[in-house]
Amino acid sequence: MSQLLSLRDRKRTETWAALHDAAARLTLESGPDRVTTDAIAAQANVSARTFFNYFGTKEDAILGLQDPSIDENWLTAFNVETNLLDQVSRLLVHVVHSTEGGGDGESLRMEVVQQFPQLRQRRVAYFLKVEQLVRDVVTEGITASAKWADVAQHHRAEDISRMIVLIAGAPMRYAMQESAHAPTLDNQFAALSSAISLLREVLPEIQ
Amino acid sequence: MSQLLSLRDRKRTETWAALHDAAARLTLESGPDRVTTDAIAAQANVSARTFFNYFGTKEDAILGLQDPSIDENWLTAFNVETNLLDQVSRLLVHVVHSTEGGGDGESLRMEVVQQFPQLRQRRVAYFLKVEQLVRDVVTEGITASAKWADVAQHHRAEDISRMIVLIAGAPMRYAMQESAHAPTLDNQFAALSSAISLLREVLPEIQ
DNA sequence: TTACACAACTGCAAATTTGCGGCCCTGCAC
DNA sequence: GTGCAGGGCCGCAAATTTGCAGTTGTGTAA
């Protein structure tokens, strides 16, 4: 058997998916406001309380949003001294994909967002949290970096990383629009790569 | 919804049934000795440890045996002063049915027992436990009963109830043979009733 | 406006499941 | 016959789920 995940972890993943799936499906049927957390929990065959063990809000469940976090691997590989634009762009996409339930619910989620624009607000808030998380990483890297000491002389590290993440975020948003109609992981990454290339070409022209 | 059982109780029942079902099915495929508790647990989608939270032995799981117990209702309704033979007979059947997973696995269990006679020994031990349980109830009733005071003068209450349960057990065994080929609850009870009638007729003839 | 039902969401204790180490026994290779 | 792997089974701590009793905010009927 595929022993990658312990039984405990596998069940946790299944429950998460069951809740997200139930939330999205019921929302598609009746709209976000006519669906109760109780109904979602019942559909997923868990208690109403367990629902809130997995999702902070009903909308998070509908959209399949977790608190963003960064894999240890990505964190140790992250290095502010080279290719920062690439790294931050890819980091942003990675975090979104790994914490937005990159699995099956993909198209369900797309449909829900399309159908009920009021949920977009939540999605935006989520992206802001992702960016905040990445900003913190960049800030920490810059603070500890000799290469950035000069710039950091004149600007706060927070402001520097804010600017960097702002720029690096453009490819991500661009890529998400591009891949919106064929939202597989490969498509996302392909779109991201071409978006980064585009950014590289555009940047020199505008300064 | 049918809110008879709490979610907790419903899931407990489902897990019990899943384990029993897995145990019986796997046994039918390979025989009791070629099936491991690990395999049963895996098939039922719970951990190996959880298996032993539900069943004391592998054979209990295969046969779907729980520790026998008596419903509160039956206990309060039980009265040693009248119709004792009927009551004990029915009590025996009730306990067996309520603690032997009277649900779906019925025919599966039958098949398993038929196929692997070595399991019968366990079943016999189980019936002995049931009888012990019922004997305790009868003993307690007799001890507290004025009507039985006379007889109890000359025999220990344990011996009296042992004899009673022995007699009352005959209809149960008779009924189980009768209904072996159509083992629904209704059949059991019909067979039991006619067995009790038969006993009533036979008793006067042999004393 | 007040009263009130309803639904989101939380804190906490009790019940359940899981992982893990360990004990004991048995069959089987060496 | 000795060692050793495999499987049944148990104790215990940690993780998870459940039930329950709130608190809060909002729509809405009186």
Side-chain angles (χ1 to χ4, degrees):
Chain A
M1 319 283 173
S2 62
Q3 192 59 35
L4 291 132
L5 259 42
S6 68
L7 178 64
R8 187 174 277 167
D9 289 338
R10 186 162 60 70
K11 285 197 168 182
R12 178 164 256 283
T13 302
E14 286 172 5
T15 301
W16 190 94
L19 282 169
H20 168 40
D21 194 73
R25 255 174 237 293
L26 292 177
T27 297
L28 242 16
E29 288 175 15
S30 325
D33 297 335
R34 314 226 63 70
V35 178
T36 69
T37 56
D38 279 1
I40 296 169
Q43 174 94 0
N45 199 33
V46 295
S47 73
R49 190 62 184 78
T50 295
F51 176 91
F52 290 103
N53 289 340
Y54 280 83
F55 295 100
T57 71
K58 179 170 65 170
E59 293 185 334
D60 282 354
I62 296 173
L63 296 170
L65 302 178
Q66 314 174 40
D67 273 345
S69 67
I70 304 180
D71 284 353
E72 202 55 45
N73 292 338
W74 284 73
L75 220 42
T76 57
F78 188 76
N79 173 7
V80 292
E81 316 242 329
T82 60
N83 284 325
L84 193 47
L85 196 62
D86 266 39
Q87 289 188 69
V88 175
S89 287
R90 295 182 189 286
L91 189 52
L92 284 168
V93 173
H94 159 71
V95 172
V96 168
H97 255 90
S98 67
T99 63
E100 209 187 12
D104 299 334
E106 199 85 38
S107 57
L108 254 188
R109 183 167 39 245
M110 288 279 176
E111 206 176 332
V112 169
V113 175
Q114 217 84 37
Q115 204 85 35
F116 305 100
Q118 64 244 63
L119 295 174
R120 279 206 184 133
Q121 181 176 353
R122 190 85 202 178
R123 216 167 140 75
V124 170
Y126 166 71
F127 283 125
L128 292 183
K129 274 206 283 188
V130 172
E131 289 182 342
Q132 175 64 58
L133 182 65
V134 173
R135 271 205 303 275
D136 290 344
V137 173
V138 176
T139 299
E140 193 180 343
I142 285 178
T143 303
S145 162
K147 174 180 174 182
W148 284 90
D150 280 358
V151 186
Q153 202 87 22
H154 305 288
H155 303 273
R156 298 189 316 152
E158 286 80 8
D159 294 334
I160 299 172
S161 54
R162 179 183 306 274
M163 179 59 65
I164 292 172
V165 173
L166 228 38
I167 299 172
M172 179 183 70
R173 296 172 201 281
Y174 181 93
M176 299 204 118
Q177 291 177 236
E178 281 300 292
S179 59
H181 302 295
T184 70
L185 206 56
D186 282 350
N187 279 325
Q188 292 274 160
F189 283 136
L192 177 67
S193 289
S194 83
I196 291 175
S197 301
L198 179 55
L199 177 63
R200 287 200 176 297
E201 291 186 48
V202 169
L203 269 187
E205 302 299 329
I206 62 177
Q207 59 197 358
Chain B
M1 316 284 173
S2 62
Q3 191 60 35
L4 290 132
L5 259 42
S6 69
L7 178 63
R8 184 174 280 168
D9 289 337
R10 185 163 59 71
K11 284 197 169 182
R12 179 165 254 285
T13 302
E14 285 172 5
T15 300
W16 189 94
L19 281 169
H20 167 40
D21 193 75
R25 254 173 238 292
L26 292 176
T27 296
L28 241 15
E29 289 175 14
S30 324
D33 297 335
R34 314 227 64 69
V35 178
T36 68
T37 57
D38 280 2
I40 296 170
Q43 174 94 358
N45 199 34
V46 296
S47 73
R49 190 60 184 82
T50 295
F51 176 90
F52 289 103
N53 290 340
Y54 280 84
F55 295 99
T57 70
K58 179 169 67 170
E59 293 186 334
D60 283 353
I62 296 173
L63 295 171
L65 302 178
Q66 316 173 39
D67 274 345
S69 66
I70 304 179
D71 284 353
E72 202 55 46
N73 291 338
W74 285 72
L75 220 42
T76 58
F78 188 75
N79 174 7
V80 290
E81 316 243 328
T82 61
N83 283 325
L84 193 47
L85 196 63
D86 266 39
Q87 288 188 70
V88 174
S89 288
R90 295 183 192 284
L91 189 52
L92 284 168
V93 174
H94 159 70
V95 173
V96 168
H97 254 90
S98 68
T99 63
E100 207 187 15
D104 298 335
E106 199 83 38
S107 57
L108 253 188
R109 182 167 38 246
M110 287 280 175
E111 207 177 330
V112 169
V113 174
Q114 217 85 37
Q115 204 84 37
F116 304 101
Q118 66 241 68
L119 295 174
R120 280 209 181 130
Q121 180 177 355
R122 191 87 200 176
R123 215 169 143 75
V124 169
Y126 165 72
F127 283 124
L128 293 183
K129 274 206 283 187
V130 172
E131 290 182 341
Q132 176 63 57
L133 182 66
V134 173
R135 270 204 303 274
D136 290 345
V137 173
V138 176
T139 299
E140 193 180 344
I142 285 178
T143 304
S145 161
K147 173 179 176 184
W148 283 91
D150 279 357
V151 186
Q153 202 86 22
H154 305 287
H155 305 273
R156 298 188 315 150
E158 286 78 9
D159 294 334
I160 300 172
S161 54
R162 177 183 307 273
M163 179 59 65
I164 292 172
V165 172
L166 228 35
I167 299 172
M172 179 183 71
R173 296 172 201 280
Y174 181 94
M176 300 204 117
Q177 291 177 235
E178 280 299 292
S179 59
H181 301 295
T184 70
L185 206 53
D186 282 351
N187 279 324
Q188 292 273 160
F189 284 135
L192 178 65
S193 289
S194 83
I196 292 175
S197 301
L198 178 55
L199 177 62
R200 285 197 179 298
E201 292 185 50
V202 170
L203 271 187
E205 304 299 329
I206 61 176
Q207 59 197 356

